[in-house]
Amino acid sequence: MRHIVADQPVGRFPDAWRACVGTGRLDLALRRDYHDSLAMVQRDIGFRHIRGHGLLSDGVGVHRPYEYEGTRRVHHSFGYLDQIVDGFLDLGVKPFVELGFMPSALASGDQTVFWWRGNVTPPSSWSEWADLVRATIGHLVDRYGLDEVRHWPIEVWNEPNLTDFWAGADRDAYHRLYEVSAYAVKEVDPALQVGGPAISPGADEWLAPFAEYVTARGVPVDFVSRHAYTSGPARHVPFGTYQTLEPATHLLEQFAAPARHLADTPLAGLPVHITEFNSSYRPDNPIHDTALHAAYLAPVLAAGGDLVDSFSYWTFCDVFEEQGIPTALFHGGFGLLTHRQIRKPTYHLYAFVARLGDEVLARGEDHLVTRHPDGRIAVLAWGPVDVTGREPVPERHTVELSVPLGPPGTASAFLLRSSVGEEAGNAFAAWQEMGRPRSPSPRQVDDLRAASEPTRTHRATPVVAGRVELDLSLTRHEVTLAELTPVVDETPPWCDDTRLLGDRR
């Protein structure tokens, strides 16, 4: 079936997908391989904010208690934090500040999470926690300027509804943490943005009580945050995890949940930030490395901005150590494989979306047609995905479009098509075919890097009555970007390509 794309836009393409991206714990940003990876991501995609755990954990070293003349005192040290934030800003990305986890010397217990042992217990002193928040945010304002930091959202904690991330998943204790933290932030400047409750999927019952608490006590809240994943229980194997997945539409349903649950509360209408989303939250699940994953998330990137103000992919990079030092070549993020600079299909999906236009001319279950201000057309198309096992995925999928292209009198268009799929742009498949080498040789790394690049094809295509008939045949799990540019023919009259080998008359 051919889809006729109207000349007039049907809406704007929100860039909520680009508003934020996730990262491993913040002190990883002190590593060169991490910084190099982020530089490449910013060059190809360009996120506005970055969010990670551990700002106040021991690894960043902000909270430094000491004893002097028999009295306990606290020194706030910002050397590592400054290096981290300076590095982010140098690459054009701003912090989405997460207040957590608890410094060990301020913690009320010894419960920790992850290999790097982030403490997840309430503070032993609420006043000292408030001082820590006030000092940290105040330092950021002093160093980077109030006008700058006012644009950095500040989120209180991470997934407090889970016992792994907040001792006992104590909702009342979290409400107190939020209140103390929010007031501390606002004492630095009332216009700073603070919000929560940063809940995990399946905890929407926390939203209404959170709204009731902050409303009853007049606690400031500028945005609501939540996470979204579609993975089931983890089945562990040595150095890896397998999980079932729900269809990608479940991610969009989770995006829409906060607005629905808060519709009749004073928090209705506040910005909603999905501060983590993905298929699986596990970095050691190989699903992240596959072509299927890119096609799975394509409709989410195409439609998610209609539902929320931001949705942050978890995470951008394989420099990521929640479960320990990675043992596999492919691990977790959509982006680079450490210093090897090998891209994954989902990385290319984001890079394709970064090349779309602002105007939406058409959207469907397998395509999004956009137009740039200069008239260029960019089409994102993707093959079907079935994660339930009920609907076998065809080996070929066709998207047929009739696309407007001007200005009047245009006779030809230049079509550039970039694709990733089960074969194209799929370093993971190439690694499997190599026998899954644990430590690839330099030659193998070069081959993997080459295999990770999308395929690109180009041709001239006719424009008839102001339209291009675009037939895109997609292979299994393919994601493709088709860019159409009107051609202005500047060929000189003496040019004759039939004479490339000279005259043979």
Side-chain angles (χ1 to χ4, degrees):
M1 175 181 178
R2 185 172 300 280
H3 300 273
I4 306 299
V5 179
D7 293 342
Q8 296 302 313
V10 297
R12 306 291 292 179
F13 181 49
D15 65 350
W17 62 272
R18 179 183 254 156
C20 189
V21 71
T23 174
R25 70 181 191 277
L26 287 183
D27 46 310
L28 290 172
L30 300 170
R31 288 170 45 168
R32 179 174 178 176
D33 53 355
Y34 175 105
H35 191 272
D36 290 347
S37 296
L38 184 57
M40 192 162 171
V41 168
Q42 287 303 98
R43 184 195 71 197
D44 292 346
I45 301 169
F47 291 101
R48 293 199 300 275
H49 292 89
I50 188 166
R51 172 191 175 272
H53 305 321
L55 168 66
L56 300 176
S57 295
D58 293 348
V60 179
V62 173
H63 183 263
R64 305 295 293 275
Y66 65 99
E67 186 172 308
Y68 180 69
E69 294 183 343
T71 302
R72 186 182 188 275
R73 306 167 190 260
V74 177
H75 169 66
H76 298 119
S77 177
F78 301 110
Y80 275 6
L81 179 59
D82 292 346
Q83 292 181 56
I84 293 166
V85 177
D86 287 355
F88 288 161
L89 296 180
D90 286 346
L91 295 174
V93 63
K94 307 172 188 292
F96 193 121
V97 179
E98 178 199 302
L99 296 178
F101 293 121
M102 195 61 58
S104 58
L106 180 55
S108 59
D110 57 7
Q111 181 184 339
T112 62
V113 68
F114 302 142
W115 168 79
W116 49 272
R117 299 182 62 81
N119 191 286
V120 294
T121 66
S124 56
S125 167
W126 290 98
S127 62
E128 192 170 308
W129 170 259
D131 290 343
L132 174 61
V133 172
R134 202 162 31 239
T136 302
I137 303 303
H139 172 78
L140 293 174
V141 167
D142 290 343
R143 184 174 178 86
Y144 303 105
L146 186 55
D147 289 342
E148 173 67 34
V149 181
R150 279 176 173 172
H151 293 95
W152 302 358
I154 302 168
E155 183 181 40
V156 179
W157 213 254
N158 174 79
E159 298 187 350
N161 61 289
L162 296 180
T163 55
D164 284 349
F165 288 103
W166 184 239
D170 188 329
R171 191 169 66 192
D172 292 338
Y174 174 74
H175 287 167
R176 185 178 183 187
L177 181 82
Y178 181 84
E179 180 174 9
V180 171
S181 303
Y183 278 126
V185 168
K186 294 294 187 177
E187 285 177 31
V188 177
D189 180 74
L192 294 173
Q193 307 171 53
V194 65
I199 53 173
S200 72
D204 289 327
E205 71 277 4
W206 274 54
L207 291 171
F210 178 72
E212 292 169 4
Y213 183 88
V214 297
T215 301
R217 297 179 64 86
V219 180
V221 56
D222 300 298
F223 64 86
V224 175
S225 62
R226 184 195 195 274
H227 297 168
Y229 293 100
T230 53
S231 50
R235 176 174 171 261
H236 299 286
V237 296
F239 310 112
T241 299
Y242 297 107
Q243 293 166 285
T244 58
L245 296 181
E246 296 294 333
T249 52
H250 285 226
L251 283 171
L252 297 175
E253 291 169 5
Q254 291 179 58
F255 287 11
R260 184 175 69 253
H261 285 276
L262 297 172
D264 297 324
T265 76
L267 303 191
L270 285 182
V272 174
H273 296 300
I274 306 298
T275 50
E276 293 180 21
F277 95 96
N278 206 328
S279 56
S280 169
Y281 55 88
R282 294 283 308 198
D284 53 357
N285 187 331
I287 192 69
H288 302 295
D289 308 315
T290 64
L292 178 153
H293 197 252
Y296 176 82
L297 290 185
V300 179
L301 268 65
D306 296 330
L307 302 172
V308 292
D309 295 88
S310 74
F311 50 108
S312 180
Y313 187 88
W314 189 258
T315 63
F316 86 89
C317 181
D318 294 292
V319 182
F320 190 72
E321 299 177 352
E322 286 188 354
Q323 307 301 324
I325 297 172
T327 57
L329 176 64
F330 290 78
H331 187 85
F334 75 64
L336 312 176
L337 300 171
T338 64
H339 66 282
R340 296 177 176 87
Q341 298 186 353
I342 300 170
R343 301 164 178 86
K344 302 180 182 179
T346 304
Y347 182 99
H348 291 300
L349 165 65
Y350 268 81
F352 292 170
V353 173
R355 296 176 66 90
L356 294 177
D358 297 329
E359 292 182 334
V360 176
L361 297 183
R363 66 169 78 235
E365 63 181 12
D366 56 4
H367 66 273
L368 177 67
V369 182
T370 67
R371 181 165 58 195
H372 289 273
D374 63 2
R376 290 177 296 123
I377 298 293
V379 178
L380 183 72
W382 55 91
V385 172
D386 173 50
V387 296
T388 67
R390 293 191 293 267
E391 300 178 10
V393 175
E395 292 300 317
R396 308 292 300 190
H397 177 75
T398 301
V399 179
E400 298 179 343
L401 301 168
S402 178
V403 180
L405 193 71
T410 300
S412 179
F414 174 69
L415 170 62
L416 177 64
R417 181 174 173 182
S418 307
S419 297
V420 293
E422 293 294 349
E423 295 184 4
N426 194 334
F428 183 65
W431 179 65
Q432 291 174 310
E433 291 158 359
M434 288 179 179
R436 304 178 191 249
R438 297 180 184 180
S439 298
S441 68
R443 172 63 181 273
Q444 288 175 316
V445 169
D446 289 342
D447 290 345
L448 289 171
R449 186 181 296 116
S452 76
E453 291 297 317
T455 59
R456 293 182 174 91
T457 59
H458 54 84
R459 61 182 172 88
T461 188
V463 180
V464 179
R467 307 192 73 83
V468 173
E469 304 305 307
L470 187 63
D471 293 345
L472 301 173
S473 178
L474 280 65
T475 59
R476 189 168 179 264
H477 296 145
E478 180 178 339
V479 176
T480 195
L481 175 70
E483 299 173 278
L484 288 162
T485 305
V487 170
V488 177
D489 195 347
E490 299 181 9
T491 304
W494 58 85
C495 183
D496 183 357
D497 293 334
T498 65
R499 301 173 64 187
L500 287 175
L501 298 179
D503 293 322
R504 295 181 179 275
R505 290 182 288 204

